[in-house]
Amino acid sequence: MRILVVGGGTAGTIVANNLSRRLTGEIRAGKVRITMLSASDRHMYQPGLLYVAFGQMTPDQLYRDQASLLEPTIEFHVDPVKQFLLDKKQVKTESGKTHEYDILVIATGSRMVPEETPGMTEGAEFFYTEASAVKMYKKLREFKGGRVMVAVGVPHKCPIAPVEVMFSLDDFFKARGIRDKVQLKYHYPIGRLHTIENVAKWAKPEFERIGVDTETLFNIKEIDAKNKIMKSEEGTEVEYDLLIVIPAHRGMEVIERDNLGSGGWIPTDRYSLKMNGHDDVYVVGDTTNLPVSKTGSAAHFQAEAICENIASIIKIGEPVRDYDGKVYCFIEAGHEKATYAMFNYLNPPDLKPPSKPMHWFKISYNHMYWTSVRGLL
């Protein structure tokens, strides 16, 4: 049984490691082989990019050697997939090699696409790559005061990020002693402050408490970088001195190029996590088109369900569980306090008042991540 995992991010790494341990006997007997294909020999802790943008982490703290995170029974290649040939149960890589599989797990992730909005690359700051996070930190350090606008494109990775940015900005400028010289304003594309209704209800009084102005129904149309004006699809305009944007995201180029899913999001069964119409292909993490958050926690819970089912199919011929849409998101709320949102397909989150213990739990998780991605937590 040839299991091929494409993608070495959070989702793919957990899947490969979890399967390696569940199928130890079968691997030793030569009945199962697990192969991972990745675009990089380094693994990034992506949530840490927000810390880099606010000077709380340095880029080198985000990385580990990918091979060091994998079980020794996993065959690992840094060789990005160039083409998916699902009808032949094959993938072709950049090096020209062809890998055949019996079970394929696609965990290719997502990417920000600020270039798709006129003026955004030139006129806004982001934190979804190492370079953009470092650049944003330098801009924040240089900022002397004025209008700081935050706007959100959709869809995007980590839906809680826009909310956390506001608290981080408030703390950052207070620490620099210039908070009274800064106007913070938050723009969101729908008629409330967040896609998740209970998060929106929680955020409203919290934003009022820290003095954040808000505007909803604001979908970014274009940015006039020269005159520092952001324009919306709704016809409104906003002047800014510093603009921070959560850019819209898409799936990876290879997914779109091979027509596996509109926008790079692969149509995925919400319970089995199989690609629609392909019983031998599983999709996990950001790559899915599921109505759940594109976060590491969602990827983790999805990976566990996939691994339990693949292992049970190999052992007894049948899957044993469904993915229930579970997501768990920490929410930093400023002043060394945090809360969390835990929910699934049926149950919305019930946010608790922010607390210091929850903040320190999140800080601890920054270190625990490396154990988590090995599938040990």
Side-chain angles (χ1 to χ4, degrees):
M1 176 72 70
R2 299 160 298 182
I3 301 173
L4 180 61
V5 180
V6 177
T10 299
T13 305
I14 294 175
V15 165
N17 282 326
N18 193 313
L19 284 174
S20 177
R21 283 190 291 275
R22 288 180 182 272
L23 299 170
T24 298
E26 288 80 2
I27 293 171
R28 287 176 179 170
K31 296 178 180 179
V32 170
R33 186 179 75 198
I34 301 174
T35 302
M36 170 180 281
L37 302 176
S38 178
S40 174
D41 62 355
R42 296 197 300 169
H43 185 108
M44 176 194 282
Y45 174 53
Q46 294 185 42
L49 288 168
L50 183 59
Y51 292 96
V52 171
F54 285 95
Q56 298 168 342
M57 293 180 76
T58 54
D60 59 295
Q61 293 176 282
L62 305 180
Y63 295 98
R64 295 286 190 277
D65 180 70
Q66 176 66 16
S68 73
L69 300 174
L70 298 175
E71 292 292 315
T73 54
I74 297 168
E75 184 180 326
F76 174 59
H77 302 280
V78 179
D79 195 5
V81 170
K82 183 178 181 179
Q83 186 178 18
F84 288 93
L85 302 171
L86 302 185
D87 56 333
K88 297 180 179 180
K89 292 194 173 185
Q90 297 176 343
V91 302
K92 289 188 176 181
T93 62
E94 295 287 352
S95 70
K97 293 182 180 178
T98 297
H99 292 262
E100 298 183 339
Y101 64 83
D102 297 298
I103 294 176
L104 174 65
V105 180
I106 302 178
T108 44
S110 60
R111 72 195 197 279
M112 68 171 185
V113 286
E115 66 278 4
E116 294 189 356
T117 301
M120 184 175 288
T121 301
E122 303 86 357
E125 304 302 323
F126 334 105
F127 54 86
Y128 279 92
T129 63
E130 177 186 327
S132 64
V134 170
K135 180 173 176 283
M136 176 173 155
Y137 174 65
K138 291 178 179 179
K139 290 288 186 180
L140 288 172
R141 284 290 301 167
E142 296 167 358
F143 194 68
K144 305 300 182 184
R147 298 158 298 191
V148 179
M149 303 290 137
V150 175
V152 182
V154 289
H156 62 85
K157 181 160 40 183
C158 188
I160 299 299
V163 175
E164 290 192 308
V165 165
M166 303 314 301
F167 294 111
S168 296
L169 287 168
D170 180 61
D171 281 351
F172 184 86
F173 290 127
K174 282 179 178 175
R176 287 191 55 206
I178 64 169
R179 179 64 181 90
D180 60 333
K181 300 178 181 179
V182 177
Q183 175 193 350
L184 294 178
K185 189 173 180 181
Y186 172 93
H187 304 79
Y188 205 70
I190 63 172
R192 56 179 184 247
L193 297 182
H194 199 271
T195 302
I196 304 170
E197 185 174 1
N198 284 0
V199 172
K201 290 178 179 178
W202 171 84
K204 189 174 186 299
E206 291 291 329
F207 281 1
E208 291 172 352
R209 176 179 61 81
I210 63 174
V212 170
D213 295 329
T214 62
E215 182 176 344
T216 57
L217 293 174
F218 190 101
N219 290 271
I220 309 168
K221 180 180 181 181
E222 61 179 301
I223 294 168
D224 180 345
K226 181 178 179 180
N227 296 303
K228 294 190 174 182
I229 298 173
M230 176 173 58
K231 302 176 183 180
S232 76
E233 295 285 357
E234 291 76 17
T236 56
E237 295 186 358
V238 176
E239 295 183 356
Y240 65 86
D241 297 298
L242 179 64
L243 175 61
I244 297 170
V245 170
I246 312 297
H249 282 62
R250 300 177 76 92
M252 301 309 283
E253 295 97 323
V254 64
I255 303 300
E256 293 191 87
R257 192 166 59 242
D258 285 355
N259 296 313
L260 300 187
S262 176
W265 316 121
I266 297 177
T268 306
D269 183 271
R270 62 192 291 162
Y271 301 112
S272 72
L273 300 176
K274 292 180 179 180
M275 179 179 179
N276 290 348
H278 294 271
D279 201 48
D280 54 358
V281 180
Y282 292 84
V283 191
V284 60
D286 291 358
T287 315
T288 75
N289 72 337
L290 297 178
V292 298
S293 305
K294 295 187 182 300
T295 66
S297 75
H300 193 137
F301 295 127
Q302 290 166 11
E304 288 182 343
I306 284 174
C307 292
E308 193 168 341
N309 282 338
I310 290 176
S312 66
I313 288 170
I314 291 172
K315 292 174 183 290
I316 66 173
E318 295 291 338
V320 292
R321 63 173 289 191
D322 288 332
Y323 171 62
D324 64 359
K326 186 176 181 181
V327 178
Y328 185 107
C329 293
F330 290 107
I331 307 175
E332 286 283 6
H335 306 292
E336 294 189 344
K337 291 184 179 180
T339 184
Y340 65 92
M342 183 169 66
F343 52 100
N344 57 30
Y345 290 141
L346 299 178
N347 302 295
D350 179 19
L351 278 71
K352 308 299 181 185
S355 67
K356 284 194 174 183
M358 188 54 62
H359 163 76
W360 289 112
F361 184 25
K362 179 173 183 180
I363 296 301
S364 297
Y365 182 77
N366 293 338
H367 302 282
M368 294 162 56
Y369 172 81
W370 302 109
T371 302
S372 174
V373 80
R374 292 190 63 194
L376 299 173
L377 283 178

